[in-house]
Amino acid sequence: MLTLLDQLDKGTLWRSPGGIHPPEVKFLSNATPIGKMPLASTYLVPVPQVGENCTLAVKVGDSVLKGTPLTQGTSIWHLPVHAPTSGTIVAIEPRASNHASALPVNTCVIAADGKDTWCELVQHQLDDLSHQQIVDKVRSAGIAGMGGAAFPTHIKLNPVSEIDLVIINGVECEPYISADDRLMREYSQDILAGIGIIHRLLTPKRIVIAIEDNKPEAAKAMQAAVSQCGLPAGSIRVTVIPTKYPSGGEKQLIQIITGREVPSGAIPAKLGIVVHNVGTAYAINQAVTQGKPLVERVVTVTGTNVGKPGNYWLPIGTPVDHVLTATEFTPEPDQKVIIGGPMMGHALANIQVPILKGTNCILVPSSQEIGSTPEEKACIRCGECATACPALLLPQQLFWHAKAEEYDKAASYNLKDCIECGCCSYVCPSDIPLVEYYRIAKSALKQAADEKQQAERAKQRFDARLARLEEEKLAREAKAKEASERRQASMTGTDKNAVAEAMARIAAKKAAAAQAVTGESITEESSVTTTGSTEVPKGKAAVAAAIARAKAKKAAQANADGTDTNGAETDSTKTDNAVNVDANDSISATDAIAQEAPLSQKDKVAAAIARAKAKKAAQQTDTAPLESTETADNTPALSADNDKKAKVAAAVARAKAKKAAQQVETAASDTEVSNTDVSVSDVSVSDVNDAEAIKKAKVAAAVARAKAKKAAQQAETNAENGLNQTATPAVDSAANVQAVDSTASAETAVNAVATDIEVSITDVSINDAEAIKKAKVAAAVARAKAKKIAAASTESKTDAEIESVDDIQTEANVASPSIAATLDTAATEADAVLPSVGSTAEPIETAPLSSDELKKARIAATIAKAKAKKAALAQEANASSDSSVTND
């Protein structure tokens, strides 16, 4: 069985799949030798051209010589770009690219000086250079694949695997192009010298120069050069292959020469094969032996609209419009200028673009040669594209997925293996530009891959940053720990004791804070002093005192309820006054407890709601027995003898009103005491000066006004009920002496409540001048309202019209306007409060009261108030014993 090398020596060839035979039309340009073209005035050199981004080595205004490097970089994929001629850098700016999209790329604009002076060239003998030095010289010369792919040559010359076969591609299968044909004819010795350098670097077992059978002159020239070269006999040979497009493709040529197929996604080097173009071999020899960088190449300028078709040495960066002008180009309407051949080339949107390292042809066809672009029609699923595909792909499936922008599915059909030869588009009867769809799909996949790679790099940078920050943190902690250990080692005994004491104080503070939060009682050592350095009672003692007072009030209430309604008015009045005074004193006591231990906002709201509910219950309790005493007989006419009875009834009503007030305060006191669970010994009286004390004063003032209104209303209601009674039991003469009319008693009661509230508020916020002022204003307004009520007391008011708990709470909420506004509006509010109220009951006519009678009523109320206070003091003294409560 023959080996691959034996088959190569015998000239065995294999057939490649697919392919077409388009008209060649090479005769237009291959009949004349390679020519020179006059220098252009301006050269456009894109940077970079091949490889990754690089750094500019020149700036605007620099003078450069031919071959001067314009860029520099360290990446293995970077290829430097050189000045194509001598001149000056006049601009570095974006210019249109040599691409179908004409997207702008960064470009060095060189104004040629016309001298075309070379920079200093360093020539070497091949035997004096090592392998790495040869590769470095090839790389520094910026040599890329000259067949059109422009792959960096130095990478192919330094493969990681062993190379058995090197194929020199001289097929040039694209129609119209003849640059390689003329190069092999005229520079065969230089090409063989370059092949010798490749042989030295790769040391392959065989080198095959492949040429199509439509280039007989080139094949003869290369065969003659092979016979004269110094390579070992039998190691290199010229093989002529049949003409077929695209047999010049790398993978297709390998399959024709060796019969092997390069796997999808793989490179030929994995099979031990490397392919180089004949133009690349020529450039390698120029770079290694003469030190010339790649600054020019052979370009075919052809087409029937060109006056001088042929092949020319064109400097890299020569504008296309300069080339067309020099070749006597005669454009037609809608003229196309194609870079590359008619099969794989692309039409230019702008001819002010440069020649690149991979540009091998400028085609200017006439309308008869190519014709207009036909209209795309629907696919008829004929399968001709699949038959013509040299890569054995399914062009129809690729087309459907590319058109639907399903690029991932297109990639699954090996889209990357498409060489964009154009065979499928050439044979398509529906004139579908299949290759254009594939190019768009490839671009989209490449962009997605680039974005994914950038995201991955960003993630790596982020992870590296987190790791760096963590290392820095650990380093700081370790450094701080070392410093702490050094300090502890250098500390004396006194210093250590000071640190221990400080730590103990911190621990004690934390424990005290935890107790305060959980509501636990703290130890006796945490007693609090006032701002004046005077001690206040402990929290437990204050709470116990408040509870004792509450119990005394309940006992007084029980005694008052047990009093015979036929008893002496004096005793009843004394008892009720005493209870009322005690209730008023309880306000101060409760406020004092609140001052010592400020509650949370939630507890304050709960206490306020409880007090409101207690007031409402007191209203309902007091109104029911009063209504039950009314009779159905309401006689509108009253005699003079009934005058005295009315006054007595008013006094009884006043006593009942005070009793109701006492019940309200008792309920409120119980609620506040139950809510005061937090130890008050943690709080100092100095907190009176803060915003919490001011807020308490405002709320207390509002409550005072509400209580004044309610007391007056209940006094009126009770007086009316007392006057409507048809039968009144005998009253003690002492009660008759102390009786006053309902109007005076209502005013006196309200004044007393306002005075007590004012005193209580003053006690709570004694250190806050602004709070005192607010409280005084509230008390003054309450007294003004009482006077207004007294003036309107002849009119009745039903129990349903008494202010609800919501009204009282609303008045307390709005008790926080500024002091100035309150002072300005106090008089107006006093006059406007409680206008004449309509009544559902019939009005009762009473005799007008004289000023002496009003004065006597006020004096009597004051005396009763004093006696009630005395009784309250006695009750507090005996608060511990619930069974014995004494009434004066």
Side-chain angles (χ1 to χ4, degrees):
M1 182 177 179
L2 297 177
T3 63
L4 175 61
L5 297 179
D6 295 337
Q7 292 176 345
L8 290 175
D9 293 339
K10 290 182 63 175
T12 305
L13 299 176
W14 282 261
R15 295 177 60 86
S16 64
I20 56 175
H21 294 83
E24 298 175 3
V25 199
K26 293 179 181 290
F27 61 88
L28 291 176
S29 57
N30 66 358
T32 57
I34 301 173
K36 284 281 188 179
M37 193 170 289
L39 292 174
S41 60
T42 303
Y43 286 83
L44 309 174
V45 184
V47 287
Q49 287 189 34
V50 179
E52 296 181 349
N53 291 338
C54 57
T55 303
L56 281 170
V58 294
K59 61 182 181 299
V60 177
D62 289 352
S63 296
V64 293
L65 298 176
K66 186 177 182 178
T68 301
L70 302 179
T71 62
Q72 57 187 6
T74 58
S75 172
I76 189 176
W77 295 96
H78 168 69
L79 283 181
V81 181
H82 301 80
T85 188
S86 59
T88 304
I89 306 292
V90 296
I92 301 176
E93 59 188 12
R95 293 289 185 95
S97 63
N98 186 344
H99 190 267
S101 64
L103 292 174
V105 295
N106 205 29
T107 304
C108 283
V109 182
I110 301 175
D113 58 8
K115 299 178 181 179
D116 201 27
T117 305
W118 273 97
C119 64
E120 183 180 356
L121 301 177
V122 180
Q123 300 182 3
H124 293 90
Q125 293 295 324
L126 185 60
D127 296 336
D128 298 337
L129 299 174
S130 65
H131 285 194
Q132 188 59 45
Q133 288 176 331
I134 294 174
V135 173
D136 291 341
K137 288 182 72 67
V138 171
R139 178 186 178 185
S140 61
I143 300 175
M146 306 292 284
F151 188 84
T153 302
H154 68 276
I155 295 178
K156 283 187 175 183
L157 294 178
N158 192 23
V160 296
S161 58
E162 184 179 355
I163 300 302
D164 297 329
L165 175 64
V166 173
I167 299 176
I168 305 300
N169 188 354
V171 175
E172 198 174 41
C173 59
E174 180 84 26
Y176 284 90
I177 303 178
S178 59
D180 291 345
D181 183 12
R182 293 306 309 183
L183 187 66
M184 288 186 289
R185 291 191 200 183
E186 300 178 27
Y187 298 94
S188 59
Q189 295 295 335
D190 293 324
I191 293 173
L192 259 296
I195 293 174
I197 296 172
I198 294 171
H199 182 272
R200 177 179 174 178
L201 293 175
L202 300 179
T203 61
K205 297 178 180 178
R206 294 290 186 275
I207 295 178
V208 176
I209 303 174
I211 304 174
E212 274 187 319
D213 57 9
N214 61 353
K215 305 177 184 64
E217 294 85 356
K220 290 180 182 179
M222 293 301 296
Q223 186 64 52
V226 167
S227 60
Q228 298 175 5
C229 71
L231 295 176
S235 62
I236 183 171
R237 58 175 289 121
V238 176
T239 299
V240 179
I241 65 173
T243 300
K244 184 180 181 182
Y245 179 82
S247 56
E250 185 179 59
K251 293 183 179 180
Q252 286 69 35
L253 184 58
I254 291 172
Q255 192 168 7
I256 292 172
I257 297 297
T258 65
R260 295 182 180 180
E261 183 177 355
V262 180
S264 175
I267 59 176
K270 290 188 176 181
L271 298 179
I273 301 172
V274 169
V275 179
H276 285 287
N277 184 264
V278 292
T280 305
Y282 175 84
I284 290 173
N285 179 61
Q286 294 287 306
V288 174
T289 60
Q290 300 182 26
K292 290 183 178 181
L294 181 59
V295 294
E296 58 181 0
R297 65 157 299 147
V298 178
V299 178
T300 301
V301 183
T302 185
T304 56
N305 286 342
V306 176
K308 296 180 179 180
N311 294 281
Y312 298 91
W313 286 105
L314 296 181
I316 306 298
T318 304
V320 172
D321 63 337
H322 170 74
V323 176
L324 296 178
T325 302
T327 55
E328 299 178 0
F329 165 57
T330 56
E332 294 180 354
D334 300 328
Q335 177 68 59
K336 287 185 178 180
V337 177
I338 300 173
I339 296 296
M343 299 300 296
M344 300 182 67
H346 59 270
L348 293 176
N350 185 356
I351 61 175
Q352 296 289 336
V353 295
I355 299 296
L356 304 179
K357 294 180 179 181
T359 303
N360 56 3
C361 178
I362 299 176
L363 175 61
V364 190
S366 64
S367 57
Q368 288 78 18
E369 288 180 276
I370 292 190
S372 60
T373 303
E375 182 181 358
E376 178 182 345
K377 296 177 284 292
C379 175
I380 61 174
R381 299 178 180 271
C382 61
E384 292 292 332
C385 55
T387 302
C389 181
L392 297 177
L393 301 178
L394 297 175
Q396 181 178 330
Q397 295 296 329
L398 295 176
F399 162 68
W400 287 117
H401 292 310
K403 187 174 183 180
E405 299 183 0
E406 297 172 348
Y407 301 128
D408 292 339
K409 292 183 179 179
S412 66
Y413 282 90
N414 299 321
L415 176 64
K416 61 180 178 297
D417 290 334
C418 175
I419 62 174
E420 302 178 17
C421 63
C423 292
C424 53
S425 299
Y426 184 82
V427 300
C428 180
S430 297
D431 297 320
I432 301 173
L434 298 172
V435 175
E436 300 302 325
Y437 284 102
Y438 305 156
R439 286 174 177 170
I440 293 173
K442 283 184 176 181
S443 298
L445 289 172
K446 183 177 183 299
Q447 182 178 1
D450 291 343
E451 291 176 354
K452 183 178 180 180
Q453 187 177 12
Q454 291 176 2
E456 184 63 26
R457 289 178 180 175
K459 183 178 182 300
Q460 293 175 359
R461 292 195 301 271
F462 180 75
D463 293 340
R465 178 178 179 273
L466 291 181
R468 185 181 71 255
L469 294 177
E470 185 64 22
E471 291 176 359
E472 293 176 355
K473 179 182 177 182
L474 294 177
R476 288 195 301 270
E477 292 177 352
K479 185 176 180 181
K481 185 177 180 181
E482 292 176 359
S484 176
E485 292 175 353
R486 288 196 300 269
R487 287 195 300 271
Q488 291 180 0
S490 62
M491 287 174 60
T492 62
T494 304
D495 296 335
K496 292 181 179 179
N497 293 336
V499 172
E501 292 174 359
M503 296 298 292
R505 287 195 298 271
I506 293 172
K509 288 182 180 180
K510 289 183 178 179
Q515 277 187 339
V517 171
T518 56
E520 298 176 356
S521 298
I522 62 175
T523 60
E524 293 183 356
E525 288 78 10
S526 61
S527 61
V528 184
T529 60
T530 64
T531 55
S533 300
T534 59
E535 295 185 357
V536 298
K538 302 295 188 298
K540 291 182 178 180
V543 174
I547 293 174
R549 288 195 297 273
K551 289 181 178 179
K553 292 172 189 175
K554 288 183 180 179
Q557 177 185 359
N559 291 337
D561 290 341
T563 303
D564 187 7
T565 57
N566 296 326
E569 181 193 357
T570 304
D571 294 337
S572 177
T573 304
K574 289 180 180 179
T575 302
D576 292 336
N577 287 338
V579 173
N580 188 39
V581 172
D582 193 27
N584 291 332
D585 291 341
S586 69
I587 297 174
S588 299
T590 306
D591 290 340
I593 294 173
Q595 177 184 351
E596 293 170 3
L599 301 177
S600 65
Q601 189 66 22
K602 183 177 180 181
D603 293 337
K604 293 174 184 177
V605 173
I609 293 174
R611 287 194 296 272
K613 289 181 178 179
K615 291 177 184 178
K616 187 172 182 180
Q619 288 178 0
Q620 294 175 353
T621 303
D622 189 57
T623 303
L626 289 179
E627 289 179 352
S628 64
T629 60
E630 292 182 356
T631 62
D633 185 14
N634 295 327
T635 305
L638 294 176
S639 64
D641 294 335
N642 291 337
D643 228 0
K644 186 181 294 184
K645 292 182 180 180
K647 294 180 181 179
V648 173
V652 174
R654 185 173 66 252
K656 290 183 178 180
K658 291 179 181 179
K659 183 193 292 185
Q662 179 265 335
Q663 292 175 353
V664 171
E665 293 304 324
T666 300
S669 176
D670 292 342
T671 304
E672 274 197 12
V673 170
S674 63
N675 287 332
T676 311
D677 296 332
V678 181
S679 177
V680 299
S681 61
D682 295 338
V683 185
S684 66
V685 178
S686 60
D687 290 340
V688 174
N689 293 324
D690 61 10
E692 189 73 14
I694 297 174
K695 187 174 181 181
K696 290 178 183 178
K698 294 176 181 178
V699 174
V703 172
R705 291 194 296 272
K707 289 179 179 178
K709 287 183 182 179
K710 184 175 179 182
Q713 291 168 358
Q714 288 187 354
E716 291 176 31
T717 304
N718 294 337
E720 178 183 341
N721 292 333
L723 292 175
N724 288 337
Q725 290 178 353
T726 57
T728 303
V731 181
D732 195 351
S733 60
N736 295 334
V737 173
Q738 295 182 9
V740 293
D741 71 342
S742 58
T743 303
S745 63
E747 182 180 356
T748 304
V750 173
N751 287 335
V753 173
T755 303
D756 290 341
I757 295 299
E758 185 174 0
V759 174
S760 177
I761 297 302
T762 305
D763 293 338
V764 172
S765 56
I766 193 68
N767 293 326
D768 194 330
E770 192 165 17
I772 294 172
K773 193 179 295 182
K774 288 184 180 180
K776 289 181 178 180
V777 172
V781 173
R783 283 195 291 270
K785 291 180 179 179
K787 291 180 181 180
K788 189 74 174 180
I789 293 170
S793 61
T794 55
E795 298 182 9
S796 61
K797 180 178 177 70
T798 61
D799 183 63
E801 294 175 21
I802 296 176
E803 287 183 270
S804 65
V805 177
D806 294 335
D807 296 332
I808 297 173
Q809 189 170 354
T810 303
E811 187 171 22
N813 291 334
V814 301
S816 60
S818 63
I819 297 299
T822 306
L823 290 173
D824 292 339
T825 59
T828 304
E829 183 179 358
D831 294 335
V833 169
L834 294 177
S836 298
V837 181
S839 174
T840 56
E842 290 186 41
I844 301 175
E845 297 180 1
T846 59
L849 301 177
S850 64
S851 59
D852 293 336
E853 290 175 335
L854 289 174
K855 186 175 181 181
K856 289 179 180 181
R858 291 192 182 96
I859 293 172
T862 303
I863 294 172
K865 178 180 175 182
K867 290 181 179 180
K869 286 183 179 179
K870 185 175 180 181
L873 293 174
Q875 287 177 354
E876 286 185 358
N878 300 326
S880 58
S881 176
D882 294 340
S883 60
S884 60
V885 180
T886 306
N887 292 326
D888 282 348

